Amino acid sequence: MARQSQTSTAVLGVLSIESATGYEIRRAIAEILGHFWHESFGQIYPCLAELESAGLIRSRPGERAGSSRFEITSAGRRRLRELLAEPATPQPPRNGTLLRTFFGHALPPADLGRLLDEVESQARGHLSAYGAIRDGIAAEDGYDEHGPYWEATIRAGELAAGAQLTWVVETRAALLGSPVS
Amino acid sequence: MARQSQTSTAVLGVLSIESATGYEIRRAIAEILGHFWHESFGQIYPCLAELESAGLIRSRPGERAGSSRFEITSAGRRRLRELLAEPATPQPPRNGTLLRTFFGHALPPADLGRLLDEVESQARGHLSAYGAIRDGIAAEDGYDEHGPYWEATIRAGELAAGAQLTWVVETRAALLGSPVS
DNA sequence: CCAACCATGTAAGTTGTTACATGATTAA
DNA sequence: TTAATCATGTAACAACTTACATGGTTGG
């Protein structure tokens, strides 16, 4: 068995906050959790069918023709609590940047420089994105209840991005002799 | 198409440092790159067969019966340079800890505390592991040439682990009211 | 009316893990 | 002699992405 899917955790989690269509679940994950989690439609729709047949969610016809709005059942809430209490199984590490850095000796300095530039601009991009997300969630349904948890999640991203920026500066100096561009 | 596999990058990278059997490649990745990369035998052996038939590596009989020792060809070195110069495609984010934190409102504080304890002890474990790896690589073949790159890789891990420890302290205070255990 | 978005779902293909099968060699 | 380690490989399966097919709705 490969590691167990956590798609149902994410889906039940979203539905524990508000009822939604499959499309909305995907958008909520992409917009708010996008830096920490990801689901594709190919995962979500089959997962919704399974969760419904297990009685963890129920559906009613949505506002638009052919759409369904899902809501969590009390069995679903119990199940979500179980799933969240399970230790977080880390996905096997595959950090493309560090793989490249490790074998950086085989790479012309210009390419290595580009790699570091890329990390830097991505980290800066993430930091500014977190600011926007923070502004966005304050207006979201359920912020009163969930705000501190959401803030903690964003904070983890900020600290990670900060560490990456520190690493870029250090590493440019160590491997490229800190050219002041 | 799913994202292209980077197994061949890792395998060529290891072989660019020293010739090895499939078993040794896997061990090298697990021991030295284990915090940043991962490969299983089920990936490595088919990959070696492909690389050999593409002329990027060649094999000769190994020391033990039935074993083969692989070495990189000059075409393989060229190919490695290409692969390393490609932008690092990040794997889709799936951070189980942050998924749980985000939905932490649905979780009893004791379980959330356990989650944070787990992150903390893992980060501390990583930090001490990096110390051991740093000691280990200094004795490794090729340290003269590759040392700075290897150190930079480890440094990234240390900074990330440090950021996680900061996060745990902050988050305990914010979500659990900083109980002085 | 047309583009963008909302909405669902499936099929094909890739990637990767795990378990299994097999056997040689080394150290206790 | 027995356990651990070295060594290779495959088969089954799980997870996930991407592309496709389909069509309704909204706003400019």
Side-chain angles (χ1 to χ4, degrees), chain A:
Chain A
M1 281 160 282
R3 73 185 174 287
Q4 83 275 10
S5 171
Q6 294 179 112
T7 299
S8 52
T9 312
V11 168
L12 286 174
V14 171
L15 292 178
S16 79
I17 295 172
E18 54 181 353
S19 70
T21 65
Y23 191 88
E24 287 168 351
I25 291 172
R26 204 264 188 159
R27 188 181 46 195
I29 293 175
E31 284 178 1
I32 305 181
L33 269 171
H35 286 86
F36 317 107
W37 202 260
H38 177 260
E39 296 295 344
S40 63
F41 286 131
Q43 293 282 104
I44 286 178
Y45 285 112
C47 177
L48 284 169
E50 277 165 41
L51 289 174
E52 184 166 24
S53 74
L56 302 178
I57 61 177
R58 87 175 71 83
S59 70
R60 57 177 89 198
E63 298 76 43
R64 282 148 168 270
S67 79
S68 313
R69 177 157 295 270
F70 293 91
E71 52 192 54
I72 196 168
T73 64
S74 51
R77 286 188 193 277
R78 274 195 302 278
R79 180 72 185 126
L80 175 61
R81 211 146 45 223
E82 281 173 22
L83 289 170
L84 293 177
E86 283 175 10
T89 51
Q91 54 182 346
R94 279 211 169 85
N95 185 321
T97 299
L98 295 185
L99 184 71
R100 284 163 175 74
T101 302
F102 190 85
F103 298 119
H105 153 267
L107 201 57
D111 288 319
L112 188 56
R114 249 193 300 283
L115 188 73
L116 294 175
D117 291 347
E118 189 68 22
V119 174
E120 182 178 10
S121 83
Q122 265 172 27
R124 288 194 197 286
H126 286 166
L127 281 178
S128 76
Y130 296 140
I133 294 173
R134 199 172 254 133
D135 294 345
I137 57 173
E140 203 80 16
D141 258 20
Y143 182 74
D144 289 346
E145 269 177 294
H146 300 92
Y149 302 96
W150 296 353
E151 301 280 356
T153 306
I154 295 173
R155 186 71 186 131
E158 285 176 343
L159 287 166
Q164 280 173 44
L165 288 179
T166 302
W167 179 75
V168 168
V169 171
E170 277 190 19
T171 302
R172 261 204 281 257
L175 300 182
L176 300 172
S178 96
V180 183
S181 68

Side-chain angles (χ1 to χ4, degrees), chain B residues 7 13 20 23 30 37 41 54 56 76 83 112 116 144 152 165 170 173 179:
Chain B
T7 299
Y23 191 87
W37 203 260
F41 287 130
L56 303 177
L83 289 170
L112 188 56
L116 294 175
D144 288 346
L165 289 178
E170 277 189 17

